[in-house]
């Protein structure tokens, strides 16, 4: 029977009283009905954990259940849970579930008890003091802005996965002043499910010795523990983590290493430091990321709440300002929303305590040795204390105050109350604000969040499509979002005025197509052919290398099943190797083969969308989603074209071999944005929101920019050069603008030469010339003229940006010149290739 259960039910049946009469003192808790021979209530608990635990409230405030040979008491009344956590904390320490982690990770704050817990809490507390919160808020905002800046218009986001990465990065940067490698981040998130499953299973073993048997679940648990320990070692062993006072920010590891253990009078050991670090990683990542996922899901269901949050942010936390504790305190409605999300989707499915001595819980007598279980999710859905418990109603917190309620225990109570409560509330608010200011998510049909229950109630399945949000600053300034770049700019950074490019939300062709300009523009002749001078002198050996590379690519494509021999002649007429020859004039050997194979594979994929997948989003996702999964380290789902998927796995391995983690992360991010445009365009066609019929020109430009493979090929420049471009160059906002200009110019050139073919297509084409004609009602010639002038503008602006960047980063000359060669190569190839021949044999010039 599967442990994994999905539910979104009313888990607490109505009752009219908070429990049995207090007159029956020292009663034995009643036994829940429905126990099966040998199994007890284990089957019901595993089948529907929340439904089963919630149903117990009708039988009393404390109810006995049998899990195999063991008897556990479930505390169903919030007042009694509060008593358990506060008044009885000393007599009822943590239970079997937490003991499993104690064995794995040591006696840290999360697992320790008694005086050891009090001593450790006093040591860790300064890391969460009010004097540190302002510093943490700035880091939270910066991390979220950076991550949200990597997303792309039209991209479909796996929200749970993205929030997991965001929460981990916030904890790592805030408390450890460290950055995990991409491999470490992936390893962390892959290990968590096996850790949680092993934790549950081992806590249910009748004897501890079973945890040492070589069972599959035990082996996976041990592997997960080792993986998490390696991640923690990376965070606590870095230079920033070991720095003391006067050497940068005072990190949590540095604080711990400077402390003395009151029990021994000796400094804390490295094992102690690691135990606290794993506590912060575990407690500060999964629950916060789950809550952020549910928050976005509820705002999708309640757009009026989203609108009120944005209005409140505009009033009390204007765009571009760094959040402060005082500013967050003024966001009263936003706090009500986050509290309601935490209530409705409390992340703790069940927690446990063990009665070390006989105790009384209200009217019930609990013998020594009894395990006590309680579910915060069930408590927070109690219809007696929360009318209409399954309704999302933020207003319920505005009158009653919220966190003062003894029935609201999201962070526990008493001496074991979560030490990072203020940190978590602030993180939820700051992260949500940064995301909502920049992006307007829309739910993908059939991909809403669902509850998946382990020890925590996780949110799985939410996928949203991203659209940029317009500027909202009441002061008339631009949106906080980076307008067109390929990643978020650093706070306060600006692009020089002469290189700023079009403002966000403003049509880049507005000046060219205003009525006065159109009236004064004479009819234009057909677009002449453009044959720019080659980047290097003609070289017979180079021509031979390119022809041989084209031959090897054709063999590769047929061997991989991407093309049939009968399809080769027409495909080879595209002469893709010549585009590579123009754009990468000095590349030879295996790197040349890689470039031709990648471009050819992308062209074959692009041609698939001239057919049915280009009009049907489900088919588009079936084709693209497995490809994106490869970038995330997964094997992919059930692809509609296994040949494309298998060849993509090989190409991705060839691209990333020997490259730095930073390069791999950037390449994965930009390939993901590129591939995501295919289903985005299919969705627009299916819904009729094609350019000028629901999707404006600016959004079309953003979508088109990433629909080409120019961004990935700008990364591959580093691959074939043999080194990453300087990190300081990558951090420049001006480079982000240059990269955007490069992609835009190449895309517009492509639109000019593909125009005649796309005019004859039966499906709506995302072609800028056609969009301009529909949007502004102008002639074809004037639309072509506007696009050509815009290409010239982009090239001029790009040259200014290159000069400016070259002055500051001379070591990046090869990269800056490479962006110029890419655009020149695209123009040289599109003006001569048979790729855009129209069916009657003509060619648009």
């Amino acid at each position: 029977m599967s442990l994994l259960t999905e539910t979104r039910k009313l888990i607490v049946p109505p009752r009219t009283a908070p429990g049995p009469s207090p007159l029956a003192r020292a009663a034995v808790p009643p036994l829940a009905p429905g126990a099966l021979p040998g199994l007890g209530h284990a089957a019901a608990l595993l089948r529907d954990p929340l439904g089963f635990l919630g149903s117990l409230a009708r039988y009393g405030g404390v109810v006995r259940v049998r899990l195999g040979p063991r008897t556990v008491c479930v505390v169903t009344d919030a007042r009694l849970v509060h008593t358990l956590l506060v008044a009885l904390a000393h007599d009822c320490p943590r239970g079997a579930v937490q003991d499993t982690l104690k064995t794995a990770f040591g006696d840290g704050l999360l697992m320790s008890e008694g005086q050891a817990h009090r001593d450790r809490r006093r040591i860790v507390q300064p890391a969460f003091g009010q004097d540190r919160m302002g510093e943490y808020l700035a880091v939270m905002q910066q991390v979220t802005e950076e991550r949200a800046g990597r997303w792309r218009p039209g991209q479909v986001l796996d929200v749970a996965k993205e929030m997991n990465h965001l929460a981990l990065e916030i904890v790592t940067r805030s408390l450890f002043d460290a950055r995990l490698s991409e491999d470490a981040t992936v390893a962390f998130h892959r290990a968590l499910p096996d850790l949680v499953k092993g934790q549950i299973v081992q806590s249910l073993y009748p004897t501890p010795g079973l945890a040492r048997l070589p069972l599959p679940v035990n082996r996976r648990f041990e592997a997960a523990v080792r993986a998490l320990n390696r991640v923690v070692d990376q965070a606590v062993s870095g230079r920033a983590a070991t720095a003391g006072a006067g050497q940068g920010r005072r990190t949590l590891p540095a604080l711990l290493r400077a402390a003395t253990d009151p029990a021994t009078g000796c400094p804390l050991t490295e094992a102690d430091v690691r135990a606290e670090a794993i506590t912060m990683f575990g407690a500060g990542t999964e629950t916060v990321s789950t809550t952020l996922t549910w928050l976005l899901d509820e705002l999708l269901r309640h757009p009026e709440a989203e609108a009120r949050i944005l209005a409140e942010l505009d009033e009390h936390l204007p765009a571009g300002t760094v959040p402060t504790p005082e500013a967050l305190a003024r966001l009263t409605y936003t706090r009500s929303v986050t509290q309601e999300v935490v209530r409705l989707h409390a992340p703790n499915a069940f927690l446990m305590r063990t009665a070390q001595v006989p105790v009384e819980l209200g009217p019930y007598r609990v013998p020594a040795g009894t395990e006590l279980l309680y579910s915060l999710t069930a408590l927070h859905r109690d219809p007696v204390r929360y009318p209409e418990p399954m309704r999302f109603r933020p207003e319920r917190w505005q009158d009653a105050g919220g966190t003062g309620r003894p029935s609201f225990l999201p962070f526990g109570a008493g001496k074991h109350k979560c030490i990072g409560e203020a940190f978590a509330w602030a993180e939820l608010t700051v992260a949500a604000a940064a995301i909502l200011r920049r992006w307007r998510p829309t739910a993908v049909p059939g991909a809403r969040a669902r509850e998946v229950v382990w020890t925590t109630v996780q949110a799985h399945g939410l996928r949203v499509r991203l659209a940029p949000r317009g500027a909202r600053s009441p002061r008339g300034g631009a949106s906080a979002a980076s307008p067109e770049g390929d990643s978020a700019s650093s706070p306060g950074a600006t692009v020089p005025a002469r290189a700023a490019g079009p403002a966000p939300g403003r049509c880049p062709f507005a000046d060219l197509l205003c009525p006065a300009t159109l009236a004064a523009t004479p009819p234009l002749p057909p677009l002449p052919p453009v044959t720019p001078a080659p980047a290097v002198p003609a070289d017979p050996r180079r021509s031979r290398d390119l022809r041989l590379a084209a031959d090897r690519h054709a063999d590769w494509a047929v061997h991989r099943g991407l093309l049939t021999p009968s399809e080769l002649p027409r495909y080879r007429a595209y002469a893709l190797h010549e585009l590579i020859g123009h754009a990468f004039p000095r590349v030879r050997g295996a790197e040349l083969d890689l470039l031709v194979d990648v471009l050819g594979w992308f062209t074959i994929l692009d041609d698939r969308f001239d057919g049915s997948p280009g009009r049907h989003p489900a088919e588009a996702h079936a084709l693209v989603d497995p490809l994106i999964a490869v970038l995330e380290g997964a094997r992919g789902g059930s692809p509609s074209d296994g040949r494309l998927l298998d060849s993509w796995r090989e190409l991705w391995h060839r691209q990333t071999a020997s490259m730095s983690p930073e390069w791999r992360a950037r390449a994965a991010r930009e390939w993901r944005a590129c591939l995501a445009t295919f289903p985005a365009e299919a969705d627009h066609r299916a819904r009729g929101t094609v350019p000028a019929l629901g999707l404006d020109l600016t959004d079309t430009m953003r979508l088109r920019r990433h629909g080409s493979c120019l961004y990935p090929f700008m990364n591959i420049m580093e691959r074939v050069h043999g080194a990453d471009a300087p990190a300081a160059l990558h951090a420049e906002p001006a480079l982000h603008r240059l990269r955007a200009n490069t992609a835009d110019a190449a895309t517009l050139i492509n639109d000019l030469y593909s125009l005649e073919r796309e005019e004859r297509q039966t499906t709506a084409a995302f072609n800028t010339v056609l969009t301009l004609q529909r949007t502004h009602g102008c002639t074809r010639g004037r639309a072509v003229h506007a696009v050509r002038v815009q290409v010239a503008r982009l090239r001029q602006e790009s040259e200014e940006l290159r000069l400016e960047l070259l002055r500051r980063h001379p070591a990046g000359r090869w990269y800056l010149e490479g962006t110029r060669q890419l655009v020149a190569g695209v123009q040289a190839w599109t003006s001569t290739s048979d790729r855009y021949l129209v069916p009657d044999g003509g060619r648009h010039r």
Side-chain angles (χ1 to χ4, degrees), residues 3 100-101 192-205 211 217-218 220-222 454:
L3 285 172
T100 302
L101 293 184
L192 278 180
D194 287 334
L195 182 80
V196 173
K197 295 171 190 175
Q199 181 188 13
I200 295 173
V201 173
Q202 292 188 12
S203 69
L204 295 176
Y205 285 155
V217 67
N218 293 341
R220 288 192 294 268
F221 177 79
E222 292 167 1
W454 292 103

Side-chain angles (χ1 to χ4, degrees), residues 609-611 614-615 685 758 760-766:
F609 286 89
D610 290 340
R615 301 184 299 275
R685 292 189 186 100
E758 292 178 338
R760 302 189 182 197
Q761 290 181 181
T762 57
T763 58
F766 284 74

Side-chain angles (χ1 to χ4, degrees), residues 145-152 155 169 486-488 669 673:
E145 288 283 0
E146 289 174 2
R147 189 149 203 99
R150 300 169 194 162
W151 305 340
R152 291 290 169 263
Q155 177 181 348
E169 193 170 356
D486 58 311
S487 63
R669 181 171 69 244

Side-chain angles (χ1 to χ4, degrees), residues 485-844:
D486 58 311
S487 63
S489 301
S490 57
T494 57
V495 179
R498 67 178 182 276
R506 180 174 180 271
C507 171
F509 296 90
D511 295 337
L512 301 175
L513 291 169
C514 67
T517 303
L518 284 174
T521 303
L524 293 173
L527 185 69
V530 179
T531 309
V536 294
D539 182 350
R541 289 176 299 178
R542 176 64 171 165
S543 298
R544 179 177 178 275
D545 286 345
L546 289 171
R547 287 196 303 272
L548 291 175
D551 292 341
R552 290 191 294 270
H553 170 67
D555 292 342
W556 177 84
V558 172
H559 174 73
R560 283 286 176 182
L562 299 173
L563 296 169
T564 64
S566 63
E567 292 172 321
L568 270 181
R570 178 173 178 272
Y571 174 77
R572 295 196 68 158
Y574 294 170
L576 298 174
H577 63 285
E578 293 182 4
L579 192 159
I580 297 301
H582 289 299
F584 298 88
R586 295 172 182 81
V587 175
R588 300 285 189 275
E591 303 295 354
L592 177 60
D593 287 345
L594 172 63
L595 289 168
V596 176
D597 287 348
V598 170
L599 180 61
W601 177 89
F602 183 80
T603 302
I604 293 168
L605 173 68
D606 184 67
D607 284 348
R608 295 286 196 274
F609 286 89
D610 290 340
S612 181
R615 301 184 299 275
H616 298 94
E619 293 182 36
H621 279 293
L623 200 58
V624 167
D625 287 355
L627 306 176
I628 293 176
V630 171
L631 305 171
E632 298 164 353
R635 291 294 298 171
S638 300
S640 61
D641 192 329
R643 296 161 299 179
L644 270 172
L645 179 62
D646 290 340
S647 54
W648 175 238
R649 286 197 187 101
E650 184 213 334
L651 287 175
W652 180 241
H653 175 73
R654 285 163 62 189
Q655 289 177 73
T656 57
S658 77
M659 296 305 291
S660 69
E662 293 77 16
W663 186 93
R664 291 199 300 270
R666 186 167 62 252
R669 181 171 69 244
E670 288 164 358
W671 269 118
R672 187 183 303 115
C674 173
L675 294 171
T677 61
F678 288 110
E681 289 185 358
D683 183 66
H684 281 298
R685 292 189 186 100
R687 290 188 291 117
T689 53
V690 294
L693 298 175
L695 188 69
D696 66 24
L697 182 60
T698 301
D699 287 338
T700 303
M701 286 285 292
R702 292 194 183 102
L703 190 62
R704 297 283 289 124
R705 170 184 303 153
H706 295 284
S708 69
C709 52
L710 263 293
Y711 272 108
F713 267 85
M714 281 186 274
N715 289 327
I716 296 178
M717 286 195 307
E718 297 173 273
R719 174 75 175 83
V720 299
H721 182 75
D724 290 13
L729 176 61
H730 272 300
E732 287 273 9
L735 183 70
H736 303 163
R737 182 69 256 161
L738 174 61
R739 285 163 60 92
N741 283 4
T742 301
D744 284 349
T747 298
L748 294 177
I749 291 169
N750 181 279
D751 285 354
L752 291 172
Y753 286 95
S754 64
L755 174 59
E756 188 168 340
R757 190 182 77 163
E758 292 178 338
E759 282 179 316
R760 302 189 182 197
Q761 290 181 181
T762 57
T763 58
F766 284 74
N767 183 293
T768 314
V769 177
L770 300 178
T771 303
L772 282 171
Q773 288 182 258
R774 288 194 293 265
T775 303
H776 295 274
C778 61
T779 65
R780 182 180 188 270
R782 288 177 176 174
V784 167
H785 174 76
V787 171
R788 292 176 64 193
V789 172
Q790 182 67 6
V791 171
R793 285 184 174 181
L794 289 169
R795 283 178 152 170
Q796 180 181 355
E797 179 185 294
S798 295
E799 287 304 320
E800 295 172 357
L801 288 166
R802 288 188 189 95
L803 289 173
E804 176 190 335
L805 289 166
L806 186 59
R807 284 194 296 269
R808 293 201 294 271
H809 306 281
R813 175 186 292 274
W814 61 270
Y815 185 91
L816 300 173
E817 290 179 350
T819 61
R820 182 193 298 114
Q821 289 171 336
L822 271 175
V823 176
V826 168
Q827 183 160 358
W829 175 77
T830 52
S831 64
T832 58
S833 171
D834 285 352
R835 166 79 167 153
Y836 301 119
L837 280 175
V838 293
D840 62 3
R843 180 197 302 277
H844 170 61

Side-chain angles (χ1 to χ4, degrees), residues 234-586:
Q234 187 179 125
V236 302
S237 302
R239 183 172 56 187
T242 57
Q247 295 177 291
R249 288 205 297 111
R250 184 73 163 170
T251 65
L252 177 62
L255 180 72
L256 294 168
R257 290 185 175 105
T260 300
D261 186 344
T264 64
C266 299
L268 297 184
T269 65
E270 283 303 302
D272 293 327
V273 175
R274 291 176 71 260
E276 299 308 337
I278 196 66
T279 296
M280 298 308 159
F281 274 115
T285 300
E286 186 180 17
T287 54
V288 170
S289 66
T290 298
T291 303
L292 278 171
T293 303
W294 283 121
L295 174 61
L296 292 178
D297 184 73
E298 291 295 349
L299 293 180
L300 288 172
R301 300 172 192 272
H302 302 90
E304 72 285 353
E306 179 190 53
R308 287 188 62 180
I309 287 177
L310 288 167
E312 188 174 67
L313 291 172
D314 283 346
E315 181 178 359
H316 298 298
L317 191 62
T321 61
V322 177
T324 64
E326 295 74 22
L328 296 190
R330 294 192 292 269
L331 302 176
T332 56
Y333 182 75
T334 303
R335 179 59 176 257
S336 295
V337 169
T338 56
Q339 286 175 217
E340 180 67 352
V341 170
V342 170
R343 180 201 67 79
L344 183 55
H345 303 288
N348 296 111
F350 58 88
L351 296 166
M352 298 184 74
R353 295 290 186 270
T354 302
Q356 290 189 326
V357 297
V359 296
E360 289 187 2
L361 271 173
Y364 303 104
R365 181 177 67 253
V366 177
T370 301
E371 291 178 295
L372 297 153
L373 182 149
Y374 60 96
S375 169
L376 291 182
T377 312
L379 294 176
H380 290 171
R381 295 176 179 178
D382 184 343
V384 172
R385 294 175 174 82
Y386 300 100
E388 298 180 285
M390 299 307 294
R391 277 194 60 194
F392 178 75
R393 292 179 52 219
E395 60 272 14
R396 75 172 84 232
W397 299 97
Q398 294 178 300
D399 297 329
T403 53
R405 297 184 181 185
S407 59
F408 187 60
L409 304 167
F411 296 94
K415 66 178 185 178
H416 288 293
K417 188 175 185 180
C418 177
I419 198 170
E421 177 180 8
F423 185 98
W425 284 121
E427 183 179 356
L428 290 172
T429 303
V430 172
I435 291 170
L436 293 175
R437 281 191 190 280
R438 183 183 290 258
W439 295 106
R440 180 184 292 108
T442 57
V444 174
R448 304 307 295 264
R450 65 183 187 276
E451 290 181 340
V452 176
V453 183
W454 292 103
T455 52
T456 57
V457 185
Q458 300 170 7
H460 283 199
L462 178 61
R463 295 167 68 239
V464 299
R465 183 168 284 105
L466 298 172
R469 194 179 295 278
R472 299 188 53 89
S473 172
R475 301 173 183 176
S479 166
S482 176
E484 302 286 349
D486 58 311
S487 63
S489 301
S490 57
T494 57
V495 179
R498 67 178 182 276
R506 180 174 180 271
C507 171
F509 296 90
D511 295 337
L512 301 175
L513 291 169
C514 67
T517 303
L518 284 174
T521 303
L524 293 173
L527 185 69
V530 179
T531 309
V536 294
D539 182 350
R541 289 176 299 178
R542 176 64 171 165
S543 298
R544 179 177 178 275
D545 286 345
L546 289 171
R547 287 196 303 272
L548 291 175
D551 292 341
R552 290 191 294 270
H553 170 67
D555 292 342
W556 177 84
V558 172
H559 174 73
R560 283 286 176 182
L562 299 173
L563 296 169
T564 64
S566 63
E567 292 172 321
L568 270 181
R570 178 173 178 272
Y571 174 77
R572 295 196 68 158
Y574 294 170
L576 298 174
H577 63 285
E578 293 182 4
L579 192 159
I580 297 301
H582 289 299
F584 298 88
R586 295 172 182 81

